[in-house]
């Protein structure tokens, strides 16, 4: 009877020791040669700085920019809208992009508005003045009430002028802007200047514009939601005017794009965001396929809001950053995605604000990145290099709540740019 008992005890001890031994091995793997976690001292090793002096980029960060320009087919700049520093940097980048073979730029404006910008920057030397007159004619009281967004500042005009001086193409991918309707009514009229019924059509335009203006005023002053563009489209005078242009191939396309834009705005509270992103992706592919007819690998620089730049899902959509990344992967090239933040900002009253303090809750998860900022220099952090260090076991993401925000940043973008002390663009319009 003893032998079976001893055998059982022996087996029990054997498996118990085996189990404990494996636990020790697992435990050792957690503690021996522990991988350090990302912190500000590590991020500093992946950070360089540069300045812009007399329109030229200087400093260690210039090497980073030169490298990413030389190695990329697509570069997406995820901007902060209305930033003076951003527009000044784009102006400095244009000659470098042109030298590297970037023949195309894409912007967060509508297809026809891109063509209008080409018209307004012909010749390039007239760009600033032409944009000033155009914006002044159609601008409303608020800063965002402009006919074409992100080109209403003086610094915006300068980078557009540089694009045109270097003979680089402009692609408009987005919907036409919310406050562009009156300018479109005038644009349509310009196509029938030699029509025998021009005087009648002009009168119809004036009536339609008066009604449109009244609806904008009602929507702005109403305490309840008004579906502005549905109301405008219900107006017989507006439809009568638009119908004048539905049979011509050129103006039919303009009206179609305008109505797509109105529909997106009308449904923005429900599900139109996905349609907007698809519209931008489709417009990009249309231009890209046309470029492929004359170029093997067209190089494109894109300037959009930073949510549109991400390579991963944002707001439930695979945005432009994802599209160009997929295109680059298929062609064996590279798409580089640059995100941008402000830390130091000077408001309209000249008061300097530290966003790391003002929006501490928003930035606390990426505090170790944000603290790299300087007031007088541009900060550029190599997120791609950090990703590689994580992949190769040299550094690790934190296991606390910061993990998710850091991973979104690292997976979504290749470089993080933090602007020096910034302010809004200088208005390029006649102040009323």
């Amino acid at each position: 009877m003893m032998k079976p008992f001893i055998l059982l005890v022996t087996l029990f001890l054997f498996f118990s020791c085996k189990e404990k031994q494996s636990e020790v091995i697992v435990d050792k793997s957690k503690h021996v040669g522990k991988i350090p976690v990302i912190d500000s001292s590590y991020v500093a090793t992946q950070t360089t700085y540069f300045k812009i002096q007399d329109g030229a980029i200087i400093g260690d960060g210039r090497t980073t920019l030169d490298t990413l320009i030389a190695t990329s087919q697509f570069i997406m700049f995820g901007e902060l809208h209305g930033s003076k520093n951003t527009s000044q940097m784009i102006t400095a980048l244009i000659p470098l992009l042109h030298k590297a073979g970037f023949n195309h730029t894409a912007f967060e404006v509508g297809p026809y508005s891109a063509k209008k910008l080409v018209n307004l920057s012909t010749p390039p030397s007239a760009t600033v003045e032409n944009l000033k007159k155009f914006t002044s004619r159609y601008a409303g009281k608020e800063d965002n009430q402009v006919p074409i967004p992100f080109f209403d500042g003086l610094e915006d005009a300068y980078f557009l002028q540089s694009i045109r001086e270097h003979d680089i193409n402009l692609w408009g991918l987005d919907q036409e802007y919310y406050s562009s309707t009156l300018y479109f009514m005038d644009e349509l009229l310009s196509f029938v200047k030699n029509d025998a019924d021009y005087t009648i059509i002009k009168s119809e335009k004036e009536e339609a514009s008066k009604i449109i203006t009244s609806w904008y005023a009602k929507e702005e002053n109403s305490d309840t939601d008004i579906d502005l563009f549905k109301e405008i489209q219900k107006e017989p005078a507006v439809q009568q005017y638009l119908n004048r242009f539905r049979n011509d191939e050129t103006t039919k396309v303009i009206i179609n794009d305008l109505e797509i834009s109105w529909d997106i705005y009308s449904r923005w509270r429900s599900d139109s965001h996905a349609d907007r992103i698809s519209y931008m992706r489709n417009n990009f592919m249309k231009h890209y396929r046309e470029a492929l007819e004359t170029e093997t690998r067209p190089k494109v620089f894109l300037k959009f809001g930073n949510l549109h730049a991400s390579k991963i899902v944002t707001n439930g959509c695979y945005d432009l950053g994802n599209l160009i990344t997929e295109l680059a992967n298929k062609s064996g090239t590279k798409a580089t995605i640059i995100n941008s933040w402000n830390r130091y900002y000077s408001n309209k009253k000249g008061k300097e604000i530290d966003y790391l303090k003002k929006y501490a809750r928003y930035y606390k998860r990426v505090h170790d990145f944000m603290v790299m900022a300087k007031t007088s220099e541009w900060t550029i952090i190599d997120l791609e290099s950090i990703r590689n260090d994580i992949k190769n076991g040299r550094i690790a993401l934190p296991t606390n709540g910061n993990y998710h925000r850091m991973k979104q940043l690292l997976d979504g973008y290749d470089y993080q740019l933090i602007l020096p002390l910034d302010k809004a663009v200088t208005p390029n319009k006649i102040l009323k």
Side-chain angles (χ1 to χ4, degrees):
M1 291 292 292
M2 289 296 290
K3 286 183 180 180
F5 175 76
I6 292 170
L7 180 61
L8 285 171
V9 171
T10 303
L11 289 171
F12 174 78
L13 290 173
F14 173 80
F15 285 113
S16 294
C17 289
K18 192 85 173 175
E19 185 175 338
K20 287 180 180 179
Q21 186 182 19
S22 67
E23 286 175 10
V24 171
I25 292 170
V26 171
D27 195 51
K28 279 183 178 180
S29 72
K30 292 179 181 177
H31 297 286
V32 176
K34 186 177 180 181
I35 301 171
V37 174
I38 290 174
D39 61 11
S40 58
S41 62
Y42 165 77
V43 175
T45 67
Q46 305 296 335
T47 302
T48 53
Y49 297 90
F50 63 89
K51 292 183 178 181
I52 298 176
Q53 290 184 355
D54 300 322
I57 300 171
I58 59 172
D60 292 342
R62 168 65 186 264
T63 303
T64 303
L65 293 172
D66 285 341
T67 300
L68 72 86
I69 290 171
T71 57
S72 302
Q73 182 187 357
F74 306 102
I75 297 175
M76 166 67 91
F77 191 101
E79 72 163 353
L80 298 158
H81 292 322
S83 158
K84 181 175 183 176
N85 278 339
T86 294
S87 292
Q88 288 176 333
M89 183 183 176
I90 302 304
T91 304
L93 278 178
I94 295 302
L96 307 181
L97 292 166
H98 177 255
K99 186 177 180 181
F102 282 79
N103 296 323
H104 312 280
T105 54
F107 295 99
E108 200 169 336
V109 300
Y112 185 80
S113 288
K115 295 177 182 178
K116 184 66 177 179
L117 289 169
V118 171
N119 177 263
L120 291 169
S121 55
T122 304
S125 59
T127 302
V128 174
E129 190 59 29
N130 285 347
L131 271 173
K132 182 178 182 178
K133 290 177 180 176
F134 174 73
T135 302
S136 299
R137 180 175 179 181
Y138 295 105
K141 295 178 183 178
E142 304 298 325
D143 290 344
N144 64 339
Q145 294 175 339
V146 292
I148 301 178
F150 320 129
F151 284 89
D152 55 302
L154 185 61
E155 295 78 17
D156 305 328
Y158 288 142
F159 82 68
L160 175 60
Q161 179 174 334
S162 183
I163 287 171
R164 299 287 287 125
E165 286 172 344
H166 290 89
D167 199 27
I168 299 174
N169 296 318
L170 269 82
W171 300 352
L173 308 185
D174 202 4
Q175 68 207 45
E176 298 295 350
Y177 195 48
Y178 191 86
S179 49
S180 67
T181 307
L182 290 175
Y183 124 66
F184 268 94
M185 297 302 106
D186 286 343
E187 286 298 304
L188 290 170
L189 186 66
S190 70
F191 285 89
V192 292
K193 283 184 176 179
N194 298 320
D195 195 287
D197 293 330
Y198 177 76
T199 303
I200 297 171
I201 299 170
K202 183 181 178 183
S203 177
E204 291 174 353
K205 190 276 298 183
E206 290 171 353
E207 178 62 22
S209 295
K210 187 194 304 182
I211 292 169
I212 290 167
T213 301
S214 70
W215 272 113
Y216 270 98
K218 289 176 187 176
E219 192 269 343
E220 186 176 349
N221 298 314
S222 176
D223 293 330
T224 59
D225 289 336
I226 291 177
D227 193 334
L228 176 64
F229 297 113
K230 278 195 175 180
E231 296 299 335
I232 286 174
Q233 287 176 286
K234 288 177 184 176
E235 294 286 349
V238 173
Q239 287 302 326
Q240 181 177 340
Y241 179 64
L242 294 178
N243 288 340
R244 289 276 189 179
F245 304 94
R246 294 189 189 277
N247 294 324
D248 178 84
E249 288 303 313
T250 301
T251 52
K252 181 170 68 174
V253 171
I254 295 171
I255 292 173
N256 182 60
D257 287 339
L258 191 58
E259 289 178 336
I260 288 172
S261 304
W262 288 347
D263 176 61
I264 289 170
Y265 278 119
S266 288
R267 294 186 296 110
W268 74 270
R269 288 185 183 84
S270 53
D271 64 347
S272 72
H273 178 70
D275 295 316
R276 179 192 176 198
I277 302 309
S278 293
Y279 182 65
M280 289 198 292
R281 287 172 61 107
N282 291 337
N283 279 332
F284 181 91
M285 289 308 303
K286 176 184 175 183
H287 286 290
Y288 185 63
R289 290 188 187 102
E290 289 174 355
L292 281 170
E293 293 176 5
T294 56
E295 299 173 70
T296 304
R297 287 189 175 90
K299 293 187 176 184
V300 189
F301 174 79
L302 303 90
K303 174 179 169 287
F304 281 74
N306 49 24
L307 283 178
H308 298 301
S310 178
K311 292 188 274 189
I312 61 176
V313 174
T314 54
N315 287 348
C317 293
Y318 293 95
D319 219 309
L320 289 169
N322 173 267
L323 174 62
I324 61 173
T325 300
E326 288 184 342
L327 287 173
N329 289 340
K330 287 178 182 177
S331 60
T333 61
K334 185 177 182 181
T336 298
I337 314 295
I338 303 171
N339 189 37
S340 61
W341 292 334
N342 278 130
R343 176 171 177 183
Y344 303 106
Y345 196 85
S346 180
N347 65 17
K348 289 183 179 180
K349 296 181 180 179
K351 181 181 178 181
E352 293 185 11
I353 303 166
D354 184 347
Y355 281 2
L356 187 55
K357 294 178 180 178
K358 183 175 181 179
Y359 304 114
R361 183 178 177 184
Y362 179 79
Y363 285 112
K364 72 175 182 178
R365 302 295 188 189
V366 287
H367 180 274
D368 291 323
F369 293 82
M370 191 64 146
V371 293
M372 296 297 111
K374 294 184 178 182
T375 57
S376 59
E377 293 184 78
W378 298 75
T379 304
I380 186 162
I381 304 171
D382 189 341
L383 304 180
E384 185 177 31
S385 180
I386 296 174
R387 281 202 307 270
N388 288 333
D389 278 356
I390 293 171
K391 181 180 178 181
N392 292 311
R394 290 188 284 267
I395 198 75
L397 286 166
T399 56
N400 60 17
N402 297 347
Y403 170 90
H404 308 281
R405 183 79 190 283
M406 281 194 188
K407 184 166 174 56
Q408 283 180 334
L409 177 67
L410 292 166
D411 289 352
Y413 308 97
D414 299 307
Y415 292 89
Q416 177 61 55
L417 197 67
I418 311 178
L419 283 57
L421 179 63
D422 200 8
K423 60 173 65 174
V425 292
T426 309
N428 185 31
K429 62 181 179 181
I430 299 168
L431 300 178
K432 298 176 183 178

